Amino acid sequence: MDTRQSSRSAIGRRSFLRAAALAAATPILTEAALAHAAADPAKPGAPPSGMALHGQGPNIPPPGAVLINANENPLGPSKAACDAIARMAPLGGRYDRNGETELLAMTFAAQNGLKVENVAVYAGSSEPLHYSVLAFTSPDRSFVTADPSYEAGMYAAMTSKARIVKVPLAADYGHDVKAMVAADPNAGVIYICNPNNPTGTTTTKQDIVWALDNKPKGSILLVDEAYIHLSDAQDALDLVAAGKDLIVLRTFSKIYGMAGIRCGFAVARPDLLAKLKPFGQNAMPITGSAAARASLEDTTLVATRKAIIGDTRRDTLAWLKANNYKVIGAPETNCFMIDTGRDGKSVIAAMKAQNVYIGRTWPIWPNAVRVSVGTPAEMAAFKTAFKAVMDSKAVAVETHDAGGHRADLGYYATA
Ligand SMILES: Cc1ncc(COP(=O)(O)O)c(C=O)c1O
């Protein structure tokens, strides 16, 4: 081995060891974990759904609970996806004999003018979100995020000991890309959640292109398109095909209704995807891969579901407006925020007492609560409970934030 080769392999070993240390350091934070923690503020760092709570059994909501707290899709997996799962189940004794995961990547690539090397398949997008932040941030390379926005990336940035730079949303509640790009010349990741969780508001393609053209050297844009199909926002996949410095995240948890089945993508240049690899990439369940492909191949699914969820959202927003409640911005997805004019956590607790679980608050807007769009029946229950809560006197709730937990990461983080 010549010296160049041996120093290259030493660097490879070092980055592998760094990746292994970082990956071992923190759990991957998911929407489910955040939603459950917010629903139960008495239990700091509450575990994700289904995990045993100190010997009390699984953490499950009471019967009849209206769950509009985790941006899930009440329609569930499509018929085609369920059929694919049923077809796959008997084949589950083998790993992936028919190459279901590769077929899925090929299908998505072909549908979007990409190469299969641009697509890495994971069990949801939480994993590649976490790894992208670990790979491209460090104590010298910050994580720049909108505020409020989805918190999982910040949590990963804490693991890599990166500075977290929060940039308030613009006046129209899109990302303020100019301020984000200017925020730190040593940015490692600029995270753009489009549409944004929690506001459901969108950022224009023009702004994303501008950010790509003007971002600090050596940084990447992490464009999280978990909710893109529910909105009219333009996606950024063509920028991947054009070889730009960005990673686009996609999930099957939202419009495709597969949150519990699990499938997601990181879409990027192969050299960027290679940087995520040292953090790990488990084999996909063949059920998840086959259900995802069946969803992609269903040509009417996205439009149908966008219309169903959009109609329910529009109806709920119209009701809120008619009753003089204040919705923030112009949400286009399956979630929105309401400025309640009082402590949001007390509203969440009062709604829970009525068996309606709504989403969490963000520190920048303590009076605003996030609500997910459920079925028309669920939103009818929401309207009744919300009106009753808002008609009653505000009561302050005690939260464990006073106990030294990181206020900027809400209930969950204990670091
Ligand atoms: C913005 C955003 N990104 C990523 C995810 C991760 O979803 P999943 O791991 O289910 O694909 C979520 C989940 O709610 C989300 O809201």
Side-chain angles (χ1 to χ4, degrees), residues 25 39 53 86 110 126 136 139 157 159 216 234 242 252 286 292 364 378 387 408 411:
L53 272 179
S126 295
F136 293 96
T159 302
Q234 259 183 287
F252 286 80
I286 57 173
I364 190 173
E378 287 170 333
K387 182 146 184 6
D408 60 344
Y411 288 120

Side-chain angles (χ1 to χ4, degrees), residues 185-359:
N186 293 317
V189 169
I190 299 176
Y191 176 67
I192 296 184
C193 187
N194 191 32
N196 191 37
N197 177 4
T199 50
T201 48
T202 57
T203 298
T204 64
K205 181 73 172 282
Q206 203 184 355
D207 276 352
I208 289 174
V209 171
W210 188 91
L212 265 179
D213 290 344
N214 292 280
K215 67 179 177 54
K217 208 164 172 289
S219 65
I220 63 148
L221 238 59
L222 183 58
V223 181
D224 188 336
E225 296 188 341
Y227 302 93
I228 194 87
H229 297 109
L230 291 152
S231 75
D232 293 332
Q234 259 183 287
D235 71 56
L237 294 177
D238 59 317
L239 301 170
V240 172
K244 303 280 187 188
D245 296 335
L246 82 163
I247 297 175
V248 176
L249 300 173
R250 285 289 178 91
T251 179
F252 286 80
S253 297
K254 306 302 171 184
I255 201 152
Y256 297 115
M258 288 178 33
I261 307 290
R262 312 298 296 141
C263 187
F265 298 145
V267 188
R269 276 196 334 250
D271 63 298
L272 298 181
L273 293 181
K275 295 241 163 64
L276 312 191
K277 280 270 151 86
F279 297 97
Q281 188 174 15
N282 202 350
M284 276 294 293
I286 57 173
T287 43
S289 289
R293 181 156 64 95
S295 303
L296 291 179
E297 286 172 345
D298 183 335
T299 51
T300 58
L301 188 62
V302 166
T304 310
R305 289 184 160 202
K306 184 181 172 190
I308 293 171
I309 293 164
D311 285 347
T312 312
R313 180 189 65 240
R314 282 182 283 274
D315 172 81
T316 310
L317 296 183
W319 178 86
L320 286 163
K321 199 168 163 221
N323 284 276
N324 295 320
Y325 300 123
K326 194 172 158 216
V327 173
I328 295 178
E332 287 191 33
T333 64
N334 66 342
C335 68
F336 53 85
M337 289 197 103
I338 308 168
D339 181 351
T340 65
R342 58 174 81 168
D343 175 38
K345 284 174 183 159
S346 72
V347 175
I348 292 166
M351 293 291 286
K352 185 181 164 190
Q354 311 240 4
N355 219 10
V356 178
Y357 286 60
I358 59 170

